[in-house]
Amino acid sequence: MALYFFDIQSGREFFADEEGLNLPDQKSAEIEAMQTLIEMIKDSIFVNERPDMAIEVRSTTERLFCVSVINGTKH
């Protein structure tokens, strides 16, 4: 098991994960990040101007990867 931290960026707001999750491997962390991002999108589906959202995953020593949703410009 390894400790993974999931920092969340939503628009201009940033939420650092101070606790982390113990997961068996990086693949499990990737799944967790994607599921969390999907839930964030679902929660904001009815907001007129949904902000860009990202989850940066890190270990205790390094940044591992980032998943994000970037909204296009409306014309």
Side-chain angles (χ1 to χ4, degrees), residues 4 8 10 13 19 25 35 44 49 59 65 67:
Y4 294 91
I8 296 174
S10 180
E13 297 182 75
E19 296 179 21
D25 53 29
Q35 289 175 336
S44 69
E49 293 187 26
S59 68
F65 62 91
V67 293

Side-chain angles (χ1 to χ4, degrees), residues 17-73:
D17 180 358
E18 309 236 350
E19 296 179 21
L21 287 174
N22 278 309
L23 297 170
D25 53 29
Q26 185 168 323
K27 183 69 172 173
S28 298
E30 292 169 3
I31 292 168
E32 180 69 27
M34 288 301 298
Q35 289 175 336
T36 301
L37 188 60
I38 289 167
E39 288 303 314
M40 289 170 53
I41 293 166
K42 285 180 183 178
D43 290 345
S44 69
I45 198 80
F46 297 108
V47 176
N48 287 337
E49 293 187 26
R50 187 174 354 138
D52 296 341
M53 299 177 205
I55 299 176
E56 184 175 297
V57 180
R58 58 186 168 83
S59 68
T60 55
T61 59
E62 65 183 323
R63 178 180 182 223
L64 300 172
F65 62 91
C66 181
V67 293
S68 62
V69 172
I70 309 298
N71 292 312
T73 304

